[in-house]
Amino acid sequence: MRFMHCRWIVLYLVGLTFLFLSAQAHAQKSQVVGWIPVYGVGKSMQALQENPHITKGLTRIGLQFWNPSPDGKSVVLAPVDNSGRRLLPADVKRVIAWAKRHQIQVLLTVYNNSQVLNHWDWPLAQRAFRDHPNEFIASLIVVMNEYGLDGVDLDLEGEGDFEGDRASYAKFVRNLSSALKKQQKLLTIDSFHSPCANAPNMAWWGDWLGYVDAIHSMGYQDLYEGSTASFRPEGKPVCENGAAIFRYSWQLAYGQRLGYRTDQIVMGFPTWLARWGEGGLGTTISAHLQEVENLGAGVALWDLQLSSAEWRNPQTWAQLQRLSSPKSKVK
């Protein structure tokens, strides 16, 4: 009987340990993501190194350093200026080494714009994800591993009506996700901030459920909790029956209805501004960060040059650090 009693105690303790570890495994934290643009590497690194508080609040960095190749079959380092001079691999490695020293995840951001193009080239993106998806995925994986990165961030943008590409984009995302998951790597996507225009947009989010780790809604100064603005795309009916779609809470609720966790929806913030919007808790950086923290969502900073001085002060980054602390419960 004593043996049986001890056995039940052991089983009970094992069960408690399992529940504790499961809770820890499912604890999530809101992401604080920032991008380093290929043309702003020096200024970004200066800003990051000036303020030690930044390394405690920043969870991920997207290196917006890569373009699809002209034939769509691979990725290439992007030009740093309008002369076409490309970023050097040694510069990429220095940024990665700094981030790794500070335990910040680093993503390969591939985008279809550049200092030479000066526009979002959707046909360039199409040649990659639609016409040569297998070759493009293989190249992304090779380059990601070459630099020891933590995953891929897709910033392929199209300004206009590209609903016809939605299915091929979704298939590409599923296949890329499968390849990345085999290596336990991340996949994030940058999205336009309405469900009614451009590509990819919020209406496409449902296609990616279960395949992406986070979605960055790229609204920047358009997004704030006090927004009452509706949106009417040119030549189309008003979006979402005139709803105030640019509120943080509306954006988050849209993602939650589709099945995303709160921490997977990440709101774009403009780091070239110290004030924007109206209403809500106020127009300051601190007010907007508090609104997002109250919701449990994440923050995506464009960009890490942090050109507004307020984005470099310790108080801002103390608030961002609090926002990105692990949560025991996700809404």
Side-chain angles (χ1 to χ4, degrees), residues 67-306:
N67 291 148
S69 61
D71 64 5
K73 295 181 180 181
S74 62
V75 290
V76 294
L77 284 169
V80 299
D81 55 33
N82 59 14
S83 74
R85 179 173 60 87
R86 296 188 183 276
L87 187 67
L88 296 175
D91 295 326
V92 180
K93 291 175 182 177
R94 276 193 289 271
V95 175
I96 295 168
W98 178 89
K100 294 293 186 180
R101 282 199 302 273
H102 294 93
Q103 299 181 309
I104 300 169
Q105 293 177 320
V106 193
L107 304 180
L108 185 166
T109 297
V110 58
Y111 73 120
N112 56 318
N113 201 336
S114 75
Q115 299 306 99
V116 174
L117 291 171
N118 284 317
H119 71 283
W120 291 100
D121 188 342
W122 190 246
L124 177 63
Q126 287 173 318
R127 288 194 292 276
F129 76 80
R130 186 191 67 186
D131 300 341
H132 300 285
N134 294 334
E135 296 97 326
F136 189 51
I137 288 171
S139 180
L140 285 167
I141 299 297
V142 166
V143 175
M144 176 190 72
N145 287 331
E146 177 186 349
Y147 287 98
L149 301 175
D150 297 293
V152 173
D153 172 51
L154 295 178
D155 189 20
L156 303 175
E157 304 182 34
E159 296 174 308
D161 184 358
F162 299 109
E163 190 65 19
D165 288 318
R166 178 173 170 177
S168 56
Y169 188 86
K171 183 179 180 181
F172 169 74
V173 167
R174 290 194 296 270
N175 291 338
L176 175 58
S177 175
S178 177
L180 290 169
K181 283 182 177 179
K182 289 177 182 177
Q183 299 189 30
Q184 297 182 310
K185 300 292 186 176
L186 299 167
L187 176 59
T188 63
I189 298 183
D190 307 336
S191 166
F192 280 94
H193 54 297
S194 95
C196 302
N198 302 321
N201 64 52
M202 296 176 72
W204 299 21
W205 289 10
D207 302 342
W208 315 330
L209 183 65
Y211 297 99
V212 298
D213 295 282
I215 296 172
H216 309 131
S217 186
M218 306 180 300
Y220 309 124
Q221 73 268 35
D222 287 349
L223 297 183
Y224 52 95
E225 188 58 23
S227 175
T228 59
S230 60
F231 172 59
R232 183 188 295 273
E234 186 175 353
K236 293 185 178 182
V238 65
C239 188
E240 293 289 320
N241 298 313
I245 67 172
F246 300 137
R247 289 180 177 174
Y248 298 133
S249 55
W250 195 95
Q251 298 263 315
L252 177 60
Y254 190 97
Q256 288 175 316
R257 286 195 301 271
L258 294 171
Y260 287 96
R261 299 191 314 266
T262 303
D263 63 287
Q264 290 179 296
I265 306 302
V266 185
M267 310 294 174
F269 271 57
T271 64
W272 67 92
L273 295 175
R275 291 180 176 270
W276 69 95
E278 59 188 3
L281 295 179
T283 64
T284 63
I285 294 169
S286 178
H288 295 307
L289 288 176
Q290 185 62 58
E291 289 167 339
V292 171
E293 183 180 353
N294 291 345
L295 293 169
V299 170
L301 308 176
W302 181 263
D303 56 49
L304 288 176
Q305 294 181 98
L306 305 177

